[in-house]
Amino acid sequence: MVQQATIRSYTDIPRPEYPRPDWQRADWLNLNGSWAFAFDTRQEGLEQEWQCQEASEVYAKSIVVPFSWANPLSGIGSNEKGIGWYRREVSWRPSEAGSRVALRFGAVDYRCDVWVNEVYAGKHEGGYSAFEFDVTDVWRLDAPNLIVVRAEDYDLNHQARGKQGYGEIRGIWQPVWLEARPQSYVREARFMTAIDGRVEVSATIVAGTMGAAKLSLRFGHGDEARHELDLMLEAGDNTIKTSFIVAEPRLWSPESPALYEGEVRLSGDFGTDTVRTYFGIREVGTAKFGERNYRWLTLNGKPVYLNGTLDQSYNAEGYFTYPSDEAMQDEIYLMKRLGLNFVRIHIKPEEPRKLYWADKLGIMVMEDMPCFWGNPDEAARTAYESEAHEIIARDYNHPSIISWVMFNETWGLKTESEPSGTPGDKVSAKLYLPDTQEWVRERYRWAKELDPTRIIEDNSPCNMDHVETDINTWHFYINGYEQVRNHLIEVTDKTYPGSTFNYINGNKQSDAPLMNSECGNVWGFEGGAGDSDISWHYRYMLNEFRRHDQMCGFIFTEFRDVTNEFNGYYRLDGSDKQFGYDAFVPGMSVRDLHTPDFVVIDAPPCRTVEAGEGVTVELLRSSYSDRYHGRTLRVEWELWHDDLGMRKVAAEGTFDVSWEGYGVAPIAPISVRMPGQDAVAILAVRLVDDEGDVVTRNFTTFDVRGGDAPGGTLSIPVSEHEKQSFAYSWTSLQGHKINGAKGGSFAYEIALPEQNEHELVSEIEIVFEVSAKRLLARNTGDAGGFRTDIDFMHGDLDQTELNPNTYYMTDDERHESQVEVLVDGVRIATFPLPDDPADSRGVLSWHYQQVPNKLDDAGSYGYLCKAIIPSRFTAALNRKRSFKLELRASEGGLALYGRNAGAYPIDLLIRYR
């Protein structure tokens, strides 16, 4: 690991670590922390010379750098467009006499002007790229120095803004620091690696004067990678190209993220410039395998399946600036914890320290260029090209980055769009003009020439409008198993060399790899997805992806929830969502859907079948790793169901699979006979290696109907209560679920069989499925209208509880209640209700959704409760043959699940004998 170089203890400033571990000098001063600040609402700062010492009285506020003035961590928290002035006095002397002093900025949005000791140091435009100014000539070594920064951000149509709607980045939003270096120094060095161990280096050296120098490269352990060359430098910029070989190279991959850490050292009469840096040896490419006429993505010459997620890189307090280095490290950990090997940073470059953790911990990165929102005119193109060049130059050496995406969903590429400067303007795709398409082609080819080591994508499309690209991706937000299945069949059928599908204006596909670059169930719903369960959709969608040999991966939208898109693996604060897969297959988690070697269950997530029916389930093997090639693996399967709390296995078996070669191929199907009773039956599948370790897990479910009901059972539809006393009560799931919010009860009149039908009633048991009931604003009936315009997308309005599709997925937040069971007014049992959950365990609530794009308590389920009426009451009930049953809830309410809802295929059951 690159050592954290500091010259003092930083205990009172945010983000104290060196901002660029990929290019790190030891002699530096962190300028994060408190700066004087002022808004220039009247644009008078330049005229009144606020950069001067005498103007200090105008700085009435204090701001915490490096946080945008729009976010809470800055101490300002005002989303105010316009101009902000920063002022700070600094005393600092480089450790080596005669050093040059650079003032460095991680990023400032958007235009930045800088003065040091009232002398203009320079300007920069571009909200996402790093820059610096050489301030040596004006820097005072023995007196305080005044640094003034003027940042201007008016959300201009031509400026690259990306997707800032969740929270704006205004002004300084990445670290600021001072850095010392000798009169001659290494400005940058690019490492281009090959898996045979060859490393090509292109370095730029800035020389104060002409003269001899030595460039030394030392990386890895011991003498793994050492290279030296003697130079004769000219005054000014010098481009140096050299190469060396690393013997027995350790290759970088997500599974083994080997880094060659070390230093670049330039020495001469001017002194020594030492830069700590690193590189990873890896090759990214595409290749054909076997008789296929299409390519797959490759890492280090082997196929790789990209299990990816879309990362907005947003947090609630710092917005797009992380509050700490640990927070960035944790982001990568949380991705890898899910079994993901890939992340797409959405419409922005990532902070360098987070890219460092991607390099160090091992996750592949697709990095987007930020888009502008106005017309693609000359001003926008010029600004974009400048910023894209700076971004690629800054991040070139990160081995984790495998792809650059030049544009996203044609945003900013449509002429005559509404000049609002905000995302989401609805513009006809016909306005993506041929001239703009050719400019996009130029940008694609320019990026390939600038960086031939990575996959370049012209435009990550949702409008089927590729022009020319290394990777053929597309976006879809479609809900429903059949709909997703049919869509993927259409896409794969129409993907072949020469096809015009997914391309615009007569441009044609090459043999480029096919991959999904955005998918999920956040959009595509009537009224938006709201905040609902993703686990059911996610599992069948990934099964469908892995069915297709052409598919090289996917990018799920998204890693975390954001302000109004609640489709993340995690909540915005990083807390967990429960997918519930382990209830079907012990030990199963989301990770099992991301394994390189995978068993596809080629079946719907749930099927309605008859009791005792024979069913055959088709299986496929999908392999994108050679780990098990040439070995025999074992498929273990089990058909089981929950019979009112008792686990029953109907059938089980195993068979061997010869695990040979990459790609997708059929393996032996599984034939089973369904249980002879109503049940939610689960076919659980495990793939096990020859050492007994589980490679992956999967399952599918069946709603078994028509079985003979056991004798001595009354089944009462939950909606047939005699009365209720809740403040709010309603039915859902076509009447198979009843809901009561706040305190109250549902009451039923129960008629037992007459004596001539059942002579002696000696025991009575009441069985039901129930959960708490979280009251949402839309349940009260007086919450007003629900907005579905584009503002909902970019964070202007959070109306979660008004969304008709919202039913919160099971997560760390609990909504508790309790239910009392009363018989003829006497309480006979009390059950705690831990939550009002919704996830894949709510099989029947998912299976009986009426339409795929509008949810009705989807995934909701309850807890199985059994109450035996005490024997002291049964004598009277034996005589009466009737009783009043009341289910009474505390303030947490209750939801009662019937035959076609929840996890159990039952109504309210009265079991007697």
Side-chain angles (χ1 to χ4, degrees):
M1 177 177 176
V2 173
Q3 298 298 313
Q4 305 303 317
T6 58
I7 59 172
R8 65 189 68 192
S9 174
Y10 297 107
T11 58
D12 57 349
I13 60 174
R15 302 285 297 272
E17 61 285 333
Y18 189 87
R20 293 286 305 274
D22 58 309
W23 196 251
Q24 178 169 326
R25 290 185 172 90
D27 194 4
W28 69 290
L29 179 72
N30 193 317
L31 297 182
N32 293 344
S34 180
W35 290 55
F37 181 78
F39 283 120
D40 189 0
T41 55
R42 299 179 181 179
Q43 300 187 25
E44 59 191 8
L46 288 175
E47 182 179 351
Q48 296 181 7
E49 297 185 330
W50 288 7
Q51 69 271 25
C52 296
Q53 183 80 24
E54 292 75 15
S56 60
E57 64 273 7
V58 303
Y59 295 89
K61 298 179 183 292
S62 176
I63 191 170
V64 179
V65 170
F67 302 107
S68 158
W69 72 61
N71 74 49
L73 290 182
S74 70
I76 302 294
S78 173
N79 184 23
E80 184 174 330
K81 298 179 186 179
I83 301 168
W85 288 73
Y86 301 75
R87 182 182 189 277
R88 180 164 178 179
E89 291 188 3
V90 178
S91 295
W92 184 65
R93 172 191 288 270
S95 59
E96 295 290 333
S99 294
R100 304 204 66 79
V101 178
L103 176 58
R104 307 192 66 182
F105 294 83
V108 179
D109 192 18
Y110 175 71
R111 176 190 164 99
C112 174
D113 294 277
V114 177
W115 293 262
V116 175
N117 295 326
E118 304 181 17
V119 178
Y120 189 65
K123 67 177 181 179
H124 180 265
E125 288 192 6
Y128 291 91
S129 49
F131 59 96
E132 65 179 46
F133 303 111
D134 188 320
V135 298
T136 308
D137 293 342
V138 296
W139 193 256
R140 300 168 181 162
L141 300 178
D142 299 314
N145 293 269
L146 176 65
I147 301 173
V148 174
V149 178
R150 178 186 184 271
E152 181 178 311
D153 185 12
Y154 281 105
D155 295 346
L156 301 175
N157 289 320
H158 73 267
Q159 78 183 61
R161 296 190 60 240
K163 197 173 183 180
Q164 290 188 33
Y166 304 124
E168 297 293 333
I169 52 174
R170 303 199 183 280
I172 298 172
W173 68 281
Q174 287 193 29
V176 183
W177 70 104
L178 289 163
E179 184 174 288
R181 56 190 69 158
Q183 293 295 322
S184 295
Y185 61 92
V186 185
R187 186 167 66 200
E188 64 177 2
R190 294 187 180 186
F191 298 89
M192 183 183 298
T193 65
I195 58 176
D196 63 2
R198 184 174 181 82
V199 180
E200 297 181 5
V201 183
S202 177
T204 301
I205 296 174
V206 180
T209 58
M210 183 178 71
K214 176 174 287 188
L215 183 66
S216 301
L217 308 174
R218 297 183 181 183
F219 293 93
H221 308 298
D223 293 330
E224 262 189 309
R226 299 187 69 172
H227 183 63
E228 292 185 350
L229 64 160
D230 294 321
L231 307 173
M232 181 57 68
L233 301 176
E234 300 289 335
D237 289 359
N238 297 259
T239 299
I240 308 299
K241 294 184 182 294
T242 188
S243 64
F244 57 91
I245 298 291
V246 178
E248 300 180 357
R250 296 175 285 116
L251 303 185
W252 186 96
S253 71
E255 297 76 26
S256 180
L259 296 179
Y260 286 83
E261 298 172 294
E263 65 182 30
V264 175
R265 178 177 295 178
L266 180 72
S267 57
D269 292 343
F270 47 82
T272 301
D273 182 32
T274 302
V275 180
R276 296 284 301 175
T277 186
Y278 60 87
F279 60 85
I281 298 177
R282 61 99 178 95
E283 287 184 24
V284 178
T286 68
K288 292 182 181 180
F289 290 83
E291 301 300 316
R292 298 168 179 85
N293 69 340
Y294 48 84
R295 292 174 175 269
W296 283 337
L297 290 163
T298 59
L299 178 64
N300 299 329
K302 297 179 180 181
V304 59
Y305 192 87
L306 300 182
N307 290 288
T309 187
L310 194 73
D311 188 3
Q312 310 286 4
S313 300
Y314 173 82
N315 66 90
E317 294 182 318
Y319 296 172
F320 296 100
T321 309
Y322 285 95
S324 68
D325 186 53
E326 291 78 13
M328 289 181 271
Q329 182 178 358
D330 290 350
E331 293 287 89
I332 307 303
Y333 163 80
L334 288 172
M335 292 174 192
K336 290 184 69 74
R337 174 182 173 272
L338 298 172
L340 299 173
N341 62 0
F342 175 65
V343 61
R344 178 183 173 199
I345 308 302
H346 200 214
I347 325 184
K348 65 179 288 292
E350 191 49 272
E351 282 205 57
R353 286 205 66 90
K354 187 173 170 187
L355 291 173
Y356 165 71
W357 288 115
D359 298 336
K360 187 71 176 177
L361 300 179
I363 198 161
M364 293 177 284
V365 174
M366 173 182 279
E367 186 163 273
D368 289 15
M369 299 300 112
C371 65
F372 50 87
W373 291 103
N375 290 328
D377 54 24
E378 183 177 354
R381 294 185 186 189
T382 300
Y384 170 89
E385 291 170 4
S386 173
E387 196 156 359
H389 187 276
E390 291 177 334
I391 289 167
I392 293 175
R394 186 197 74 174
D395 294 343
Y396 186 94
N397 283 337
H398 291 285
S400 58
I401 297 177
I402 67 167
S403 175
W404 306 114
V405 179
M406 307 312 291
F407 297 95
N408 175 74
E409 293 190 348
T410 333
W411 289 353
L413 299 177
K414 297 174 181 178
T415 302
E416 298 178 5
S417 59
E418 186 69 22
S420 65
T422 55
D425 295 329
K426 295 181 178 179
V427 182
S428 171
K430 69 182 179 182
L431 294 180
Y432 182 21
L433 300 179
D435 172 70
T436 308
Q437 295 166 30
E438 290 309 307
W439 178 63
V440 169
R441 191 193 313 277
E442 291 172 6
R443 292 304 90 206
Y444 157 77
R445 292 180 176 177
W446 165 81
K448 279 190 69 64
E449 183 177 354
L450 185 66
D451 185 0
T453 71
R454 291 181 170 93
I455 301 296
I456 309 297
E457 184 168 19
D458 60 340
N459 172 42
S460 192
C462 67
N463 297 312
M464 304 295 180
D465 50 6
H466 275 305
V467 176
E468 185 175 354
T469 181
D470 291 344
I471 184 170
N472 184 4
T473 79
W474 90 106
H475 301 178
F476 77 91
Y477 294 98
I478 296 173
N479 304 282
Y481 166 73
E482 292 292 343
Q483 289 76 10
V484 169
R485 183 181 180 90
N486 292 336
H487 176 71
L488 290 175
I489 290 172
E490 178 189 16
V491 169
T492 52
D493 284 351
K494 292 180 178 179
T495 298
Y496 53 85
S499 170
T500 58
F501 180 74
N502 202 25
Y503 282 64
I504 193 172
N505 199 27
N507 290 288
K508 296 180 180 180
Q509 295 181 19
S510 64
D511 58 0
L514 175 67
M515 179 183 156
N516 170 265
S517 52
E518 282 189 36
C519 63
N521 56 343
V522 62
W523 305 111
F525 284 99
E526 182 181 327
D531 190 340
S532 56
D533 168 49
I534 64 173
S535 63
W536 187 259
H537 173 98
Y538 191 77
R539 193 188 64 80
Y540 69 67
M541 183 175 67
L542 264 63
N543 260 271
E544 291 304 306
F545 282 151
R546 296 298 288 263
R547 285 183 63 241
H548 297 282
D549 190 81
Q550 285 171 272
M551 289 284 295
C552 291
F554 67 92
I555 298 173
F556 176 70
T557 307
E558 53 209 319
F559 170 53
R560 289 181 189 254
D561 293 350
V562 285
T563 57
N564 50 14
E565 294 179 356
F566 305 98
N567 49 313
Y569 297 105
Y570 300 98
R571 291 295 180 192
L572 178 56
D573 63 2
S575 59
D576 290 325
K577 295 182 180 181
Q578 294 185 21
F579 286 66
Y581 298 150
D582 59 341
F584 302 93
V585 190
M588 183 174 176
S589 70
V590 178
R591 291 181 63 89
D592 288 280
L593 301 177
H594 301 149
T595 53
D597 295 283
F598 184 75
V599 174
V600 178
I601 297 180
D602 192 6
C606 185
R607 277 187 279 179
T608 300
V609 296
E610 295 297 317
E613 180 181 341
V615 174
T616 296
V617 177
E618 303 294 333
L619 303 181
L620 305 168
R621 58 176 293 277
S622 174
S623 178
Y624 289 89
S625 165
D626 60 2
R627 177 178 179 181
Y628 299 106
H629 290 180
R631 295 167 63 177
T632 297
L633 303 184
R634 185 172 70 255
V635 172
E636 300 177 347
W637 61 267
E638 181 182 62
L639 181 71
W640 69 277
H641 68 279
D642 185 311
D643 183 14
L644 300 183
M646 181 179 297
R647 192 178 193 274
K648 291 187 175 180
V649 178
E652 58 187 338
T654 67
F655 60 88
D656 290 340
V657 180
S658 179
W659 209 260
E660 299 288 350
Y662 296 108
V664 180
I667 57 177
I670 297 174
S671 295
V672 293
R673 188 162 300 280
M674 291 294 126
Q677 65 182 81
D678 276 25
V680 173
I682 294 97
L683 179 63
V685 175
R686 302 194 313 165
L687 183 67
V688 180
D689 68 15
D690 46 13
E691 297 176 351
D693 295 325
V694 177
V695 177
T696 188
R697 304 169 179 86
N698 206 346
F699 68 91
T700 189
T701 65
F702 304 88
D703 178 24
V704 184
R705 304 185 71 96
D708 295 331
T713 302
L714 299 176
S715 182
I716 301 162
V718 295
S719 59
E720 293 185 3
H721 51 274
E722 293 296 319
K723 64 179 181 178
Q724 65 85 22
S725 60
F726 289 98
Y728 301 96
S729 177
W730 68 98
T731 64
S732 53
L733 290 166
Q734 301 89 58
H736 287 271
K737 178 183 175 185
I738 59 171
N739 305 275
K742 303 294 186 181
S745 67
F746 292 114
Y748 298 84
E749 295 293 338
I750 307 299
L752 297 171
E754 295 297 330
Q755 215 164 17
N756 58 356
E757 297 177 36
H758 191 87
E759 182 177 0
L760 179 67
V761 176
S762 60
E763 185 175 297
I764 302 172
E765 183 180 37
I766 303 163
V767 183
F768 53 95
E769 181 182 353
V770 64
S771 71
K773 172 39 53 201
R774 182 176 186 173
L775 184 66
L776 306 181
R778 64 181 171 86
N779 302 139
T780 65
D782 58 357
F786 173 68
R787 286 179 59 183
T788 59
D789 60 17
I790 198 63
D791 283 342
F792 183 70
M793 175 180 175
H794 40 92
D796 294 345
L797 192 64
D798 182 354
Q799 298 177 299
T800 315
E801 292 197 357
L802 298 184
N803 191 295
N805 297 307
T806 288
Y807 200 108
Y808 292 107
M809 185 174 175
T810 319
D811 59 19
D812 287 352
E813 181 181 349
R814 291 289 181 266
H815 184 88
E816 298 179 357
S817 187
Q818 69 176 21
V819 58
E820 296 177 337
V821 182
L822 293 87
V823 173
D824 288 339
V826 178
R827 185 179 65 197
I828 65 164
T830 300
F831 298 97
L833 302 178
D835 198 7
D836 181 10
D839 54 59
S840 61
R841 287 168 281 194
V843 171
L844 298 171
S845 295
W846 270 116
H847 187 48
Y848 289 103
Q849 293 296 303
Q850 288 187 302
V851 292
N853 66 339
K854 187 174 182 179
L855 302 181
D856 181 17
D857 290 10
S860 61
Y861 64 96
Y863 304 91
L864 186 66
C865 296
K866 298 180 181 180
I868 296 177
I869 297 179
S871 58
R872 65 182 181 274
F873 298 127
T874 54
L877 297 183
N878 182 56
R879 292 190 300 271
K880 285 176 54 182
R881 298 295 167 130
S882 67
F883 63 90
K884 178 181 177 181
L885 171 64
E886 188 177 1
L887 302 179
R888 180 186 296 167
S890 62
E891 273 298 296
L894 68 78
L896 198 60
Y897 296 81
R899 170 60 183 80
N900 292 353
Y904 298 89
I906 60 171
D907 284 303
L908 177 60
L909 300 183
I910 310 297
R911 306 169 77 186
Y912 58 90
R913 63 179 182 181

